[in-house]
Structure formats: C-alpha cells, structure tokens
Amino acid sequence: MTMPLPSLPPATPPVTQPAPAIAMRGLAKRFADKVAVNGISLDVPAGSFYGLVGPNGAGKTTALSMVTGLLRPDAGQVWVHGADVWADPRAAKAMMGVLADGVRLFDRLTGRQLVTYAGLLRGMDRDTVAARAGDLLHVLGLEESAGKLVVDYSAGMAKKIALATALIHAPRVLVLDEPFEAVDPVSAASIRGILADYVAHGGTVVVSSHVMDLVQRMCSHVAVIAGGNLLAAGTVDAVRAGGSLEDRFVELVGGGSATGGLSWLHTS
Amino acid sequence: MVAHLLRLKAILLRNGFRRSPWQLVGVAAAGLYGLFLVALLFMGLFYLGGTDPGFAAAVLVPAVSAAVLGWALLPVLATGVDLTLDPARFTTFTVRPWELVAGLLLSGFIGVPGLVTLFLFAGQALAWRQVPAAAAVAVPCGVLAAVLCLALARLTTTAASALTASRRFRDAAAVLLIVPLLGLGPVLTVVVAGFEDALGWLPRAAAVLGWTPLGSFAAVPADVAAGSWGTAAVRLALSLAYLAAVVGLWKRTLERALETPREGPRGGRTASGLGAFARFPATPWGAVAARCLAYWRRDPRYAVAILAVPLVPAMMWVVAVQAGSTALMLWTGPIVAVLLAFSISADVSYDSTAFALHATSGIRGVHDRLGRVAACAVFALPAVLAAAVLPPVLLGEARLLPGVAGLSLGALASGFGVASVASARFTYAVPPPGESPFKNPPGAGMRMVVVQLATMWVMGLLLLPPLALLVAHLVTGNAAFGWAGLVAGPALGAVLLVAGVRLGGRWFDARVPELMQATVLNR
C-alpha cells in the first residue's frame, strides 16, 4: 500500500502539525529538452530519517539541489521549517547542513582548515568552531589526517570531511546526497551511528541512496523517484508493504526482468 | 580500430559543442584564425616559389624546424595540447599497440593545430613549383613531417607524464614554466632586432638543421631541386629513420604507461594548526580571505599571477633598455596593480564546483567579495607600493613619486572593485583545480577573451582621472598635479572599491544558484 501523495494546493505554506522539516510543492526543473524533475510535492516530517531512492538519472540530485538552494527551480516552492528556500534563502540555509554530490571541495586546505572554514563561513565564533572541528575529526576518524591537504585524501576520506563541513553548524536538517558512496564499511557504520543519534535527538535527515537495503534498515521514511516523478512516499513499512524495499522498488520503477539473459557469459 | 579512434575524437569534439555553444564559437574562431594563418603563409610559400631555390631552402628548413620544435615542447609546457584521447583511458581495453599508436597519432589531425600544420607542410610544394620533381617530393615529405610533429608531441607528453603525475611536481613545474613563456616577448624582440643579420646565418642554419630530425624532411625537396638526387635519397632515408625512431620510442613509452597505469602518489605535506585561519578575524569575510590566501600559496593557477609581479619590472627593463628610455619603468607600479587586481576577476570560476560550500552556507555576497579582495590585498598592497615607489626613486625622478603612487594605489583599489563585480557575474571556463594553469578547456577562449578584455577596458577607463593628473604633471612640470593625483587616485579607488564590492555583493546574492550552475557547466 502506498501512502497517498500530499495534494495541498501549491504556493501555500504547509499547515500540517507539526510543521514538516522540509516541504516541497510542485518542484519542477527542465534541462534543455529533458524534464529532470516533474513537479514533486513531498513533506519530510521533522525528526524523520528520510530516504530518497531512485534509479540513476531519476532526478534525485536535481531535486535535492533545488531544496538546498544550489539550483533555481522552474516552478514550485520549498520550505525548510517554514522558511521559504527561494524567498528567504539565508534563513533556510542557516537551518540546513548539505552534502552535495559530485562537487569539488576546497581541497588545497587541510582537513581541519576545511571544516573550520565551513564553520566560519556560517558566522560561528572561533572557539566553538575549533571545539566542534576537533570533535568531528575525532568521531569521523580523520584526526591523523587533519593536517593533510584534502587533495591528498582518498575518496572515502573526502566524503567524510565533506560530511563534517555539513555538520559543523549543528543544523536542524541534514540533506545528504549519496553520503555512503566510496565510504568503507567501518566509516559507514560510524556515520550511520552519528546520523541515528542526530535523529534520535530531534534532527531530520534526508539521504539519497541507491542501496535499498541500507535505506530499509536505516530510514524511517522513504520516497521513490523515477523519471522525475514521485512514485511513492511514506514510512518505510508503508511503502514496502510487507515485502522488501528492494522488491517494491523494482516493482515501482519497472525493469529488472532481464536477468539470466547472457548465456554466453557462462564460462563453464 | 584506427577509424574507431578517429571517430571517437570527432564525436568528443562535437559533443563538446553541445555542452556549451561558446566552445563552438571558440573553435570557429580558432578555425578562422587558422584559415587566415594558412592563407597568409600560403602567400608566403607562393612568393618563395618565385625566388632562388637556395633562398627558399634557407627559409623553409629553419621555419619547419621551428614548427617541429614547437610541437615537441609546447604540449609539455601546456601538459598536453589535447588529452581528450588520453592513453591512460585505454588501459582497460585490449587494443593492439600498433593500432592504438596509429589511431592516437592520426587523431591529432582532427583539430585546428593539427590540420593547419598538415596543410602548411604539404603546401611547401608551392615553394618548389618551378621544379616539378621537387614539388612532387615536397607533398609526401610535408605530410610525413606533420606526422613527425604529432608523434614528437605524443612522445614528449607521454615521457613527461611520469614526472607530471606527481601533484607537487605539476604544481612546481606549472609555476616555473611561466618564466620562459613570459620571457618569450623580450627574447623575441632581441631576435627580431637581429633579423637584419639573418640573411647571413640562415643558410648555414638551414644546412645544419637539414640533417637533424627537425628539418630533414623539409630539406629533401631542396636537394631534389638542386639536382643532387643522391643526397636527397640519403636524407629521405635518414628522415624516415628519425620518424620510425620517434614513433617506436613513443610506442614503447606508451606500452609501459599502459602496463603500469600511473597512480596518484599519496602522502604530501602535512600542516598542523590553522594557518591563515588563525590570523584573519573569525568572521565570514575573514574566513573567505584566509581560504583565498591559502589558495594563493598552494594553487599554481594563482601562483602564476604572483610570479608576474617580479617579471613585469624585469620585462619593462628589457623593453626600456631597448627603447633607450628608462622612463618606461615608471609605469611598473600601475601595471603591477592592474594585473594583481585583475587576477581575482575570475575567482568564482577558479573555485569551480567547490563554490557549493559558499552557496549552501548562505554567505552574504558582500562578505564573499570583501574576503577575496582582502586576501589579494595582503600581498598586493606591499607589492604595488614597492613597484610604485622604487622606480621613481632609483631613477632619480622622486618628484614624480606622488603622481605614480596615487595612480598605482588607485589602480589597485578600483581594479579590485571592477574584479569584484566581474567575478560575481561573468564566469568562464578556466583550467580546473589541480590542472596546469595553461590547460584551458578547448574552445573556452572566446568568452574568456571577451570577459577579460571588457574587464580590462573598464579598469582602464576608471583610471583616466589619476592618469590624466600624472600626464599633466609630466607635460607641465607642475608638481601640484602630482600631489593632486596622490589624493585623487586612492580616493577615487576607495569609492570604486566600495561601490564594486557592494554591487558585486548584490549581484552575488541574487545569482548564487546561477553562479553555482555556471561552475558545474565549466567543470
């Protein structure tokens, strides 16, 4: 059973109680002749651990870019705890921690400098930044590499330092695009621990991922996106409807029937 | 396979156009320029055809040698004219080496420089049209010489790639290589000055170069024209041997590169502490300044701009000595000021997609602008002061000091203002972080040139008042103009700086997502 999609009239600030951490209404983006996001409306309840899943090219990154203020939508609106991202970006951005996918880091800084930079950019005072940067580097296992230039980091380490830059200002909402990509299992486990703790204490997390299993275990809610459309959204239990999330996902998105067709690949 | 690689190169080129129409404009402009060059040089070749064959050889052999040398060296300096078909990308495919060699080699002809070289070299036949046999020989020799150019370029870049794989080496080399490049201008003027004697030494140079790999192909038709068929045969055999050696060597280095794919060396320097972050105020603009300063120190793309500071006076001195007037040195201060201020006009483009951190943090545009200016000012201010004060004092023209200093400081401040506006609005494709400062994305040229020229022009226009005062001082000899310049320059500069940072900040605030997407597109 899929939860019915929220069908509030567009352009009205959400009135549901309590106010959702993120509310999207009719969010749409077109690149040249390709519709990347086709009018998505979605509420992310405060205190939820929200998974955003979809095949490659589904529009996950595009949608998240419009939520985080990196990409101006063609139509639609986004609110973060009531602040309109596109009318009052500074208020909305102050509440969000963002891990964008596929962007560079200021990698000629050392790890500690990069995290400090992110804190100071947000207008935090020096002592708080120093203390939190130390904590983050410690928890993420980057203490030894804190003095190395980020350009010399491995992909997984770079992902972790980028996560630290998203956490430093203690945001109310975390938007993480593919946070577990290239991260080793041990680090992934510690990141999951950090995020679970964050949610348990009132924070809201939105993650995009390809890994259904991870989303099913980790998230409280999930939204399935394909071809720029929202196919299903709700609690993980409601969306998977008794089956595994992976099966439900394949069923929703379609495809996946063409297994076992490559007989020439059988070497024996 | 060879056809496959050629098609791949053509497709990559075409798809580049789809990504950005500016790239198409850039390639079209390069193509037009190439056509113009070809037409001009063809006329030259035609003219040579009407002269004495000995003279034609004396011109053609050194000219071809210079072109071949350029092909061998320039790609290394620029870390690869063209890495769209980087051999390292074929590591995982089992392509037979000879096919890869031939494919990569010939793919060099798909592109403006390769085509222009091919046409010009084959066009040498025009210069030998009075001796049909020589003209007939000139065409294949020219084509082979063009192939030699491409092979040499591949050989030198592949051989150097082992060295350039290390980030530290790349950073250092990129900065050091600008010295000879910038020095090229003065050297050329010296060479041109000695051109009158050229007729004396050119034939001798041609005779020597004709036996080296650089010029041997070009010398074959000359032998034929002179009727010495024996020499021609020997020289042709030698040339073919050279070509085979270069291609063979390249194939070996290529094979080695394919068998042991290069891996980025790890490690590198570590630094404890926060560096500049501890010294600047703990505010958003202070953080931006500290970060930019770290980049000025560690990113070769910025280091190139810093290196220009000592080089400008050096070049001015060479020019001044040749012109016989040291007065030119007085302009060192203003020129250094404009160059340094201009260097932050592409700052957002240089950030590349790392700019996402600024975009998601919601930093105010004014703070972003101010931080970038502050970082540059930290070293630009002392450098400009030195460049403005030293020349008048050392030249015993201390009376001009106020006017020159006023103009220089005004140039720096107003330049910063203009740059703050430009980098908030006009992004263009720049070499990505970690790449050579000289490796511009193909076809990026047009938009870059337009933006840079416009920025420079605006900077120049805004400098007219203090400039006029300095000129008035020079013409009338009335020191009051100089002192007026000392006041007017910095005052006007300060106003323009504040206005520029404000306007740039407002544009920045309004266009953060557009700036972000521009960096994504330029990636």
Side-chain angles (χ1 to χ4, degrees), chain B residues 4-103:
Chain B
H4 222 76
L5 285 169
L6 294 183
R7 211 172 314 132
L8 175 62
K9 175 74 191 285
I11 291 172
L12 284 170
L13 199 65
R14 206 178 60 214
N15 286 356
F17 300 151
R18 300 214 320 221
R19 191 151 185 201
S20 148
W22 280 100
Q23 207 166 20
L24 184 61
V25 175
V27 171
L32 275 181
Y33 179 71
L35 265 181
F36 173 71
L37 205 67
V38 167
L40 203 69
L41 289 173
F42 261 87
M43 283 199 284
L45 287 169
F46 195 81
Y47 160 77
L48 276 180
T51 63
D52 165 51
F55 178 72
V59 171
L60 280 180
V61 175
V64 169
S65 302
V68 174
L69 191 68
W71 272 94
L73 293 185
L74 282 181
V76 178
L77 300 187
T79 31
V81 153
D82 170 27
L83 280 180
T84 41
L85 294 187
D86 186 355
R89 297 193 183 167
F90 297 96
T91 315
T92 52
F93 298 98
T94 46
V95 183
R96 256 164 301 175
W98 277 117
E99 293 185 340
L100 191 59
V101 164

Side-chain angles (χ1 to χ4, degrees), chain A residues 25-202:
Chain A
R25 290 295 174 272
L27 219 45
K29 184 71 192 180
R30 162 195 291 274
F31 293 115
D33 50 350
K34 183 178 177 291
V35 176
V37 172
N38 187 19
I40 286 184
S41 297
L42 179 67
D43 279 346
V44 174
S48 64
F49 200 139
Y50 218 109
L52 198 57
V53 298
N56 296 322
K60 298 189 296 288
T61 296
T62 308
L64 291 182
S65 295
M66 291 191 286
V67 169
T68 52
L70 290 179
L71 179 66
R72 198 184 295 279
D74 292 339
Q77 278 172 286
V78 190
W79 292 268
V80 174
H81 281 296
D84 189 325
V85 173
W86 291 98
D88 186 6
R90 216 159 273 130
K93 285 174 180 175
M95 287 186 279
M96 263 190 293
V98 181
L99 175 70
D101 187 38
V103 302
R104 294 173 186 272
L105 300 169
F106 285 110
D107 55 14
R108 301 276 162 158
L109 303 180
T110 66
R112 190 184 297 279
Q113 282 179 330
L114 182 59
V115 180
T116 307
Y117 184 43
L120 293 176
L121 269 188
R122 301 257 185 191
M124 299 164 62
D125 69 84
R126 199 191 294 276
D127 294 336
T128 315
V129 170
R132 288 188 187 172
D135 289 347
L136 283 167
L137 290 168
H138 173 70
V139 170
L140 291 168
L142 291 171
E143 249 169 350
E144 279 172 30
S145 316
K148 266 206 319 190
L149 296 191
V150 174
V151 68
D152 293 326
Y153 277 20
S154 71
M157 288 160 77
K159 204 67 148 179
K160 287 197 280 182
I161 204 77
L163 182 66
T165 65
L167 291 171
I168 183 99
H169 59 295
R172 291 175 70 184
V173 181
L174 269 179
V175 180
L176 312 176
D177 200 352
E178 297 285 357
F180 298 106
E181 214 175 40
V183 176
D184 65 84
V186 178
S187 306
S190 78
I191 292 176
R192 276 205 310 277
I194 295 170
L195 296 181
D197 187 54
Y198 172 80
V199 170
H201 291 87

